[in-house]
Amino acid sequence: MISDAAALAEARRRFLADHVPGTTPTPPTDATVPLPIIGSWQRSAHAGVDAHGSANRHVTITNDTPLSRCARDPMRQLVHALGSLDIGVVLSDAHSHVLARVDSGRDAASLLNGIDLAPGFDFSEGFVGTNGVGTAIETRRPIFVAGPAHFQERFLDVVCAGAPIIHPITGRLEGVIDLTCGLADASLMMQTIAVQTARAIEAELLQASSPVERRVFEAFARADAEAAGRSRRLVLAATGMMALHSGRAGRLLDEPTRRDLCHRARAATCDADQARFRFEAAARDASDDTAAAPDRMLLDVAARRIGMGADRGVLVEATVTGAARPASAGRPARAPTARTASPVGPDVVDGTPLGRGSVSSAWRLARRELTQSLQREEAALLLGEIGVGKVSLVNEVAAAQGLHVHVLSPELVREARGVRRALASFAHTDRPIGDPVLVMRNVTLLDDAERAEVTRFLRAPRVHGDPVRLVLTGEGGEIDEASPLAPMLPFIGRTVIVPALRQRQRDLPGIVASLLEALQPSAHREVSVSALRTIAAGHWPGNIHQLTDALRYALARRPSGPIQVADLPPHAFSAALRPLTTLEQQERSAIITTLYRTHGNRTATARALGLSRSTLYRRLAEYGLRD
């Protein structure tokens, strides 16, 4: 993005020149403008932001908030790791109001003060246009905004990278962590660092949650899992600070009704551990789940108090009485079985359990979120880098729930000449179709017409007339309204980020063992300690797929006995020549990833990273990446 600054600046100039105030902004067609930036420019123009303005808006903030307290240590640790680099680290709340800032380097304070990026100022997108704070709030996604990618002229000499902070229990957007610096100090790795810092703050928020909130969350998760497959059972939970509901409760009851039901349950359990009552509610006119429901329904409610005093919570389990007629009525319930689909095609990764004994918090979080999504019968979108094992994760979660996995790839869609015909092919499969999980793989590779078919299917997913749990997968970590997938987003209940292999260092022994077992099922092959250490030191931009190729290569070189370091392919060796700082490690990772994506083309790598060729060669030597 940094190296395309001139093209980006020209695209911005044309966008501003062509836009007529009061009309719908026309998106730029220049391929150099990233999709998230296009969407932000359109929102900024629609909101009437003055691209040449410099007005600021001061707001009243509270410095001592739970978010501020939880962010304090991660922000200090980040500044320590940044050393003398001139970068400002900024914390905002969910309203884009800056709460705190810590500066690294001598000139960072002057730079950020010059653009009013300081505590007490409003950086919402609708006021100052595209920026690392407000745009991350709008999209709920990490964002990198370099120079002319900003909407307002006064920010053209700065680069910012923001990452949203999501509360791990409530799922509520709490705020944004943003890194801002001048163009000369910018790096594409700023976004990665911002995301890592946001995750550290989220971990602090989890620890800071009250014991009651954690107990309520755990009770809700258990009850929601037990209610899976029971079409008349709704699960809700609430404390004074948070509210949770199952997917079916969200579809049947609107937000005011859910709030009233939880309020009634909290009042009923004020002086008792448990309470039962009946509750009359209006049926929500929303999805196919409620198409056949009457205008009003009766609920048999069982409420259980969790905790005591003002901080107490309540778990609500409600059963729809015979007055309601869910869409699934009249169909016999199928008992789940413990069978999953076989791996698709020659790739062994899909059918390999990659989470066996996992200690990676990122993988366990992805597994938990997908589990909840399948239990709630939501459509889920799995995002992540190429080869991280998205379908393997679906198989792992589905096996635990006794569900059948069916994978539909872009290749199968094109062979069948359309999504509808590809779905119809399941009618002729020998595998049971009951309790299915349909995985639509690599939806980002479908063409416009095929994606339109997927969107129509998302509105009411049916196979053989029965509802089907649906999971989409795609490469990347950012989807917003400017994305080709945007029409699907209203019908997707949850987006799950599947971690890269480098984020699962402690899981590597188990992953390697699982892959070896899949590659040679009866051979009981092993990897030596030194070879495993070499694998752990690698970057693996191709993730599980690339690691599988490396192990297949090693097995061919050593038909029997433990795999040794000498058996590994050349790309498995990527150790630096000296200990690296945090920022150097991030830069090294970015270089390896870009080299992998450009098939080793160093000129293209230097261009993509905004480096001169001489600088890239110097970094390759310093980081131990030369041939």
Side-chain angles (χ1 to χ4, degrees):
M1 281 186 249
I2 296 174
S3 59
D4 293 329
L8 193 59
E10 175 60 20
R12 174 183 176 275
R13 185 195 64 77
R14 290 198 304 270
F15 175 82
L16 295 175
D18 294 343
H19 174 58
V20 178
T23 65
T24 301
T26 302
T29 57
D30 196 314
T32 63
V33 186
L35 290 175
I37 301 302
I38 293 175
S40 179
W41 284 358
Q42 288 183 283
R43 290 191 301 272
S44 301
H46 189 266
V49 177
D50 182 0
H52 307 290
S54 59
N56 57 49
R57 181 157 63 193
H58 202 277
V59 293
T60 302
I61 61 170
T62 302
N63 292 321
D64 188 22
T65 67
L67 176 61
S68 299
R69 291 193 294 271
C70 290
R72 195 168 296 140
D73 285 345
M75 290 175 69
R76 288 174 177 169
Q77 292 167 8
L78 173 57
V79 168
H80 178 74
L82 292 173
S84 60
L85 291 175
D86 286 311
I87 297 179
V89 181
V90 176
L91 176 73
S92 87
D93 63 14
H95 303 291
S96 304
H97 300 161
V98 179
L99 299 178
R101 192 185 86 200
V102 185
D103 301 324
S104 172
R106 293 178 299 178
D107 299 329
S110 175
L111 173 70
L112 271 66
N113 288 339
I115 57 173
D116 300 320
L117 188 50
F121 284 94
D122 182 354
F123 266 72
S124 57
E125 193 180 70
F127 182 66
V128 300
T130 309
N131 71 94
V133 174
T135 303
I137 293 287
E138 289 291 331
T139 62
R140 291 176 67 100
R141 298 286 176 196
I143 189 72
F144 184 87
V145 188
H150 289 91
F151 189 82
Q152 280 202 324
E153 199 169 85
R154 59 174 166 155
F155 303 128
L156 297 185
D157 294 328
V158 301
V159 174
C160 52
I165 302 165
I166 309 296
H167 197 289
I169 289 181
T170 65
R172 186 174 55 223
L173 176 67
E174 297 288 340
V176 164
I177 193 74
D178 167 82
L179 276 65
T180 296
C181 66
L183 285 170
D185 297 310
S187 166
L188 289 169
M189 294 169 295
M190 290 167 60
Q191 181 171 317
T192 300
I193 297 171
V195 170
Q196 291 176 341
T197 307
R199 297 296 171 267
I201 296 171
E202 290 169 359
E204 294 289 334
L205 285 168
L206 178 61
Q207 292 300 315
S209 299
S210 73
V212 168
E213 286 180 323
R214 289 197 292 271
R215 286 174 58 196
V216 169
F217 178 75
E218 291 166 0
F220 170 80
R222 286 194 299 269
D224 193 25
E226 292 169 0
R230 302 168 68 177
S231 61
R232 295 175 180 267
R233 179 62 62 87
L234 315 179
V235 182
L236 304 94
T239 69
M241 298 297 294
M242 73 176 190
L244 306 168
H245 63 267
S246 63
R248 193 171 297 279
R251 290 191 290 272
L252 287 176
L253 307 175
D254 60 20
E255 195 275 333
T257 303
R258 296 196 303 268
R259 185 174 59 244
D260 290 345
L261 176 55
C262 288
H263 178 76
R264 171 84 179 274
R266 280 172 60 85
T269 55
C270 182
D271 298 316
D273 292 336
Q274 299 184 28
R276 300 190 71 93
F277 57 91
R278 302 198 72 170
F279 185 86
E280 185 176 346
R284 187 175 189 177
D285 182 18
S287 69
D288 57 294
D289 251 347
T290 61
D295 290 338
R296 301 194 69 78
M297 66 180 74
L298 289 175
L299 305 177
D300 283 333
V301 181
R304 176 162 63 89
R305 184 177 64 194
I306 300 175
M308 298 291 290
D311 194 34
R312 72 185 187 280
V314 65
L315 176 68
V316 179
E317 296 179 85
T319 302
V320 181
T321 68
R325 188 163 60 87
S328 59
R331 290 201 306 266
R334 293 184 174 93
T337 65
R339 180 181 170 192
T340 59
S342 301
V344 177
D347 192 350
V348 301
V349 173
D350 289 354
T352 302
L354 301 177
R356 192 164 54 192
S358 173
V359 295
S360 161
S361 59
W363 180 268
R364 291 167 70 181
L365 175 62
R367 183 169 57 196
R368 183 168 67 246
E369 289 185 335
L370 181 58
T371 297
Q372 293 173 353
S373 184
L374 293 183
Q375 288 171 345
R376 297 174 184 179
E377 301 179 10
E378 301 172 326
L381 173 63
L382 301 190
L383 293 177
E385 296 177 8
I386 186 171
V388 294
K390 303 179 191 75
V391 176
S392 174
L393 176 62
V394 178
N395 275 312
E396 179 180 327
V397 171
Q401 298 187 38
L403 304 173
H404 299 286
V405 175
H406 307 271
V407 180
L408 186 62
S409 67
E411 293 77 18
L412 291 175
V413 168
R414 283 167 194 145
E415 285 177 14
R417 298 184 179 179
V419 173
R420 183 184 304 174
R421 292 180 179 179
L423 289 168
S425 69
F426 286 128
H428 307 291
T429 181
D430 293 331
R431 292 173 295 179
I433 202 68
D435 303 298
V437 178
L438 178 62
V439 179
M440 290 191 171
R441 188 177 202 157
N442 294 332
V443 290
T444 47
L445 300 183
L446 299 175
D447 61 30
D448 291 344
E450 292 163 345
R451 284 196 298 270
E453 282 193 87
V454 174
T455 302
R456 286 193 292 272
F457 182 69
L458 276 165
R459 293 175 183 270
R462 291 286 185 273
V463 175
H464 292 189
D466 296 328
V468 59
R469 296 169 178 85
L470 187 62
V471 179
L472 312 180
T473 77
E475 185 180 349
E478 278 192 18
I479 301 291
D480 66 10
E481 68 274 10
S483 165
L485 302 186
M488 303 179 189
L489 293 181
F491 309 104
I492 292 173
R494 186 181 304 236
T495 300
V496 179
I497 305 300
V498 183
L501 184 59
R502 62 183 175 277
Q503 297 171 294
R504 304 183 61 194
Q505 286 285 323
R506 295 170 63 193
D507 289 348
L508 269 172
I511 293 173
V512 169
S514 293
L515 292 173
L516 288 175
E517 183 180 331
L519 290 168
Q520 291 191 352
S522 59
H524 305 293
R525 299 300 301 273
E526 295 180 347
V527 175
S528 70
V529 173
S530 57
L532 188 60
R533 190 179 299 121
T534 299
I535 290 171
H539 178 58
W540 305 105
N543 294 290
I544 307 293
H545 288 184
Q546 187 187 8
L547 176 59
T548 304
D549 290 342
L551 293 175
R552 189 182 281 117
Y553 175 97
L555 290 170
R557 287 174 61 92
R558 187 175 294 272
S560 62
I563 293 172
Q564 305 297 325
V565 172
D567 303 323
L568 297 172
H571 63 76
F573 300 88
S574 57
L577 302 181
R578 60 174 175 78
L580 303 179
T581 66
T582 301
L583 196 59
E584 287 173 331
Q585 290 172 1
Q586 300 292 342
E587 183 174 46
R588 182 172 174 274
S589 295
I591 290 173
I592 294 173
T593 298
T594 309
L595 280 170
Y596 182 78
R597 291 183 179 276
T598 60
H599 306 288
N601 186 320
R602 297 184 178 185
T603 300
T605 297
R607 186 183 306 115
L609 294 174
L611 302 173
S612 66
R613 290 185 63 185
S614 60
T615 299
L616 176 62
Y617 281 109
R618 202 161 51 245
R619 295 285 195 273
L620 292 174
E622 187 175 2
Y623 296 158
L625 300 176
R626 300 185 75 169
D627 294 339

